[in-house]
Amino acid sequence: SRIKRVFPLTEVLEAASVITGEELLKVLLCDLYKMNEGIPLAGLCGSSPPGILKGALTLDSFVQELATRDSFPVPATFGHDRRLVERTGKDVTECLLLGFQELHIRYFPAVSFHDYKAAKRIYWKANEYVEVLYGNQNPSPLARAVTVTGDVFLEIQRRPLSYSRNLEKYRDLRMPWMEAVLRRLPSSLDKAGHFKMVTFISCVGMLMNGDFVVYEHLKTLIADMPLPQAKLQQLQIQSLFLLKKHYGINIWRLHERIPYRLIKQLSAAPAKSKQSLYLEDGEQLFKDVQALAETEDLPPAPRSTSRYLPACTSLKWSSQELALVDLHPFKTHKETYENYLKSCTSFIIAARTFGAFKQKRIKMMENKN
């Protein structure tokens, strides 16, 4: 399989740098996807990411790392092929840059470089991608929201405004309000003020999702914000409805047009295999006649039909229930409780627990005497 990846590149080593870079980039993609054919180039060039978007990167710095990093050990072939290109006297950085431009790559696997126990290697968590920025291109709103979300995570932990475990679900599903909030915040805010506003709004979204937030630290953040909550209401970031009051802090909910609920896509359950209902002529389904005969003669298994009141339920005893309590002085509580359960089953009445029954029986016997 490695020879199949190397062979197309060896045929274009003496070609123009753009052709060499295109084939070298395909070798890298083959290493990442661990396949020689069927690389989803159309998805990498599409208008939307083919998987989970984790941010954005500038192409110039990224190709520089790909050209210099020694993180492609066997069985990866990119490191070997990169040396072949270097032997021809070509600049690997320039070839890769031209290859990205020729293939019109917009999204690329979100790779990271690890150095573990003196073993350097490239790592990619499947289905995670980054947006590729050419030159001075600005990131898309989605990529910008992902980048800002990562910074908000660090700020929430630094202050601290919440626990790290409360942020885990937002790492994969993202904060759904971030894109809409970034569009609504005024561009006149400086970087520090903009960041404080986004952090505060993210805390409001977390509160609406039922996550824990330290209100004392949130109160400090509110005092440092460049814009009051009244201004956020004018910008249609916050609504006119208050969240539940805590420690005298008035916090308004997010505007109805700003999403805040996490939506997790559930994978469809695999279909259960069923035996074919269509049989050929002369074919019969095999049945264990002896086993069927034995099971058909058996009586149905006994099944308890007792019903009990839910836990922590306070309900007054009815006259019908009181009539089922046996007050015979020579019978134990356990014996009378068993008879009580049978009576409740026959009359289809929700039974009390043994503790409640015992307490009620003792009180009734005291009143009787």
Side-chain angles (χ1 to χ4, degrees), residues 1-13 23-24 27 30-31 36 75-78 80-82 84:
S1 61
R2 295 181 61 196
I3 297 177
K4 291 182 179 180
R5 299 179 192 177
V6 176
F7 185 73
L9 178 66
T10 57
E11 291 187 325
V12 297
L13 285 176
E23 292 299 330
L24 184 60
V27 171
C30 288
D31 287 342
N36 296 328
T77 57
F78 179 77
H80 173 268
D81 292 4
R82 188 179 64 185
L84 292 179

Side-chain angles (χ1 to χ4, degrees), residues 82-341:
R82 188 179 64 185
R83 289 189 292 270
L84 292 179
V85 176
E86 291 174 348
R87 291 172 187 172
T88 62
K90 294 181 179 179
D91 187 357
V92 177
T93 303
E94 181 184 0
C95 291
L96 289 174
L97 183 62
L98 295 174
F100 269 94
Q101 295 174 353
E102 182 68 17
L103 293 175
H104 304 287
I105 300 294
R106 185 174 180 182
Y107 299 99
F108 197 80
V111 298
S112 57
F113 299 96
H114 290 206
D115 187 357
Y116 179 69
K117 293 184 179 180
K120 300 178 181 180
R121 62 181 62 250
I122 191 172
Y123 175 77
W124 174 45
K125 186 177 180 181
N127 205 35
E128 292 186 354
Y129 296 85
V130 291
E131 183 181 7
V132 180
L133 304 179
Y134 293 83
N136 297 325
Q137 178 185 358
N138 294 323
S140 63
L142 178 58
R144 185 183 174 211
V146 172
T147 304
V148 174
T149 300
D151 297 335
V152 169
F153 288 163
L154 298 176
E155 183 67 10
I156 290 177
Q157 297 178 63
R158 185 188 68 84
R159 281 193 175 258
L161 291 165
S162 185
Y163 298 122
S164 299
R165 62 175 179 267
N166 293 334
L167 301 174
E168 291 301 322
K169 56 186 176 183
Y170 297 103
R171 296 187 187 277
D172 293 332
L173 302 176
R174 298 195 295 269
M175 292 181 166
W177 54 82
M178 192 62 69
E179 288 185 69
V181 169
L182 293 178
R183 289 194 300 265
R184 284 169 167 77
L185 284 176
S187 58
S188 58
L189 288 173
D190 58 1
K191 185 176 181 180
H194 187 276
F195 189 52
K196 291 178 182 178
M197 299 306 303
V198 173
T199 304
F200 166 72
I201 296 168
S202 298
C203 290
V204 177
M206 292 176 63
L207 286 172
M208 294 178 65
N209 280 322
D211 296 318
F212 171 76
V213 173
V214 182
Y215 292 97
E216 291 298 326
H217 298 167
L218 184 60
K219 189 175 181 180
T220 304
L221 176 61
I222 293 175
D224 295 338
M225 292 192 313
L227 298 179
Q229 295 188 70
K231 182 63 176 179
L232 295 179
Q233 291 175 337
Q234 295 177 3
L235 297 172
Q236 293 190 353
I237 295 177
Q238 285 183 285
S239 67
L240 302 178
F241 300 98
L242 279 170
L243 282 172
K244 185 179 179 181
K245 292 184 179 181
H246 295 275
Y247 305 108
I249 304 177
N250 289 331
I251 301 176
W252 280 264
R253 298 171 62 90
L254 295 181
H255 195 270
E256 59 183 8
R257 296 176 59 185
I258 295 182
Y260 71 93
R261 293 186 182 276
L262 295 176
I263 300 177
K264 186 174 183 180
Q265 296 181 352
L266 300 177
S267 58
K272 296 182 180 180
S273 60
K274 297 182 179 180
Q275 190 175 10
S276 176
L277 300 179
Y278 301 96
L279 305 177
E280 297 180 359
D281 294 339
E283 185 179 358
Q284 294 181 353
L285 288 174
F286 174 76
K287 294 183 180 180
D288 191 342
V289 180
Q290 182 179 1
L292 288 175
E294 292 177 355
T295 55
E296 288 175 356
D297 295 337
L298 293 176
R303 183 178 179 182
S304 175
T305 58
S306 299
R307 299 187 304 170
Y308 297 88
L309 289 176
C312 303
T313 300
S314 178
L315 186 64
K316 186 178 180 180
W317 285 67
S318 64
S319 58
Q320 187 178 9
E321 288 182 286
L322 295 175
L324 300 179
V325 180
D326 189 353
L327 301 180
H328 197 285
F330 297 106
K331 290 185 179 181
T332 63
H333 296 301
K334 186 176 181 180
E335 292 175 347
T336 54
Y337 184 68
E338 291 177 354
N339 295 331
Y340 164 76
L341 289 179

